[in-house]
Amino acid sequence: MLLVEVRQLKSQYGERMAVLEELTKQNLEVANRMNQAMAVLERQLAKQSESLERPVSSMSTRVENVSNDFRNLRAAVEAINTRLSRVQQDVEDIKSHLMTLPPPSFEGDETASAVADPSSASTLFDAALGDFHRGNYELSKVQFKDYLRDYGRSLRAVEAQYYLGAIAYSEQDYLGATRNFDLVLERYQVASITPDAQYKKAMSLMKLNRLDEAGAELQSLVERFPNSTVTPNAEAQLEELRGFNQKPSPTRQSSLTN
């Protein structure tokens, strides 16, 4: 009986060992498949990592280039600002220089006085301008002449001279208007009012039927002041003048200067 039990135990042990061996074999196969799967996954991850590294590297290069461009742009802007500051300083120097220039002479007066009282100068100019706009040309003319005599160094002297020409033009004294506008052009070459004075001079010459001289003034205005507000009018008048091959009749001459 003991031998029988021993044989049964051996048989059961053998069966269990066989089962364990089969399970071990299956586990080994599963482990091998997992290792293979891991190897495939590792290769795929390596490829994806390589494919991502190139765009990231390219993007980093682009970002660095943009940063360099921005730094260069900032440096250029700073250089421009520096140049603008120098130009502004030059302009201020020019203004200061112009302010110190000796005054021009008016109406034969060679000893025009400096502006002793700016408030008085402003009062006199405003009064003359007010009378001009109200049509009190005689009184305005006297006041503007007084202003030029007493305040020849004033920055508004060019305006006073211009308004004397405008008064003469309004009174149909075209010869006097031409002379006054000539004074503006001769004495105030840098004044902003110069284009208007030259245009009005041309109009006065046209009223005097001196068409060749008027055309020369208009042509000069267009060439010297292409961006002036009166330049389009000057160009139109010049084109109309060129359309007259012969001396126009008084009726047509009037249409030119209206």
Side-chain angles (χ1 to χ4, degrees), residues 3-243:
L3 290 173
V4 171
E5 289 179 359
V6 170
R7 282 196 292 271
Q8 289 178 351
L9 289 173
K10 286 183 178 181
S11 177
Q12 292 177 357
Y13 178 77
E15 291 176 356
R16 292 179 179 176
M17 287 299 296
V19 171
L20 288 174
E21 288 178 358
E22 183 63 25
L23 291 175
T24 301
K25 186 185 294 183
Q26 292 177 358
N27 288 334
L28 288 174
E29 291 177 356
V30 170
N32 289 333
R33 287 196 295 270
M34 290 183 65
N35 288 333
Q36 292 175 358
M38 288 294 295
V40 172
L41 183 60
E42 287 178 355
R43 287 195 297 270
Q44 291 177 348
L45 288 175
K47 290 181 179 180
Q48 291 180 357
S49 176
E50 183 179 357
S51 63
L52 289 174
E53 283 179 358
R54 294 177 181 175
V56 170
S57 177
S58 177
M59 184 61 69
S60 299
T61 303
R62 292 180 182 178
V63 170
E64 185 177 356
N65 292 336
V66 170
S67 298
N68 292 334
D69 293 341
F70 182 75
R71 285 192 292 270
N72 294 335
L73 180 60
R74 176 179 293 177
V77 170
E78 291 178 354
I80 291 174
N81 289 335
T82 301
R83 292 180 182 177
L84 288 176
S85 298
R86 293 176 181 174
V87 170
Q88 186 175 4
Q89 184 61 46
D90 292 340
V91 171
E92 294 298 328
D93 292 342
I94 291 173
K95 288 182 178 179
S96 299
H97 176 68
L98 291 176
M99 289 291 291
T100 59
L101 290 176
S105 60
F106 297 99
E107 303 296 332
D109 183 10
E110 299 295 336
T111 58
S113 61
V115 179
D117 188 351
S119 61
S120 298
S122 178
T123 300
L124 179 58
F125 187 93
D126 291 341
L129 186 60
D131 285 321
F132 173 82
H133 288 304
R134 286 188 293 270
N136 300 328
Y137 295 140
E138 288 301 322
L139 180 57
S140 178
K141 186 190 306 183
V142 173
Q143 291 170 325
F144 277 129
K145 287 183 178 180
D146 289 343
Y147 185 91
L148 290 174
R149 183 194 63 219
D150 297 333
Y151 305 103
R153 294 181 186 271
S154 171
L155 294 177
R156 305 191 74 178
V158 60
E159 296 181 61
Q161 190 68 65
Y162 173 85
Y163 280 115
L164 285 174
I167 291 171
Y169 189 90
S170 299
E171 293 178 337
Q172 298 184 0
D173 177 13
Y174 302 120
L175 188 60
T178 301
R179 285 196 295 264
N180 279 288
F181 291 130
D182 259 337
L183 290 175
V184 175
L185 298 175
E186 291 172 2
R187 298 173 177 177
Y188 306 98
Q189 291 293 324
V190 297
S192 60
I193 205 169
T194 300
D196 299 83
Q198 191 166 13
Y199 179 73
K200 286 293 182 65
K201 178 187 176 183
M203 294 298 97
S204 301
L205 291 170
M206 290 177 70
K207 291 289 188 180
L208 294 170
N209 204 26
R210 294 157 59 177
L211 302 184
D212 291 339
E213 296 176 61
E217 290 294 336
L218 291 171
Q219 184 64 40
S220 173
L221 190 158
V222 170
E223 293 176 355
R224 294 173 61 199
F225 308 102
N227 299 321
S228 173
T229 56
V230 298
T231 298
N233 294 335
E235 291 175 337
Q237 291 287 351
L238 188 59
E239 189 65 25
E240 193 169 354
L241 271 177
R242 290 170 178 169

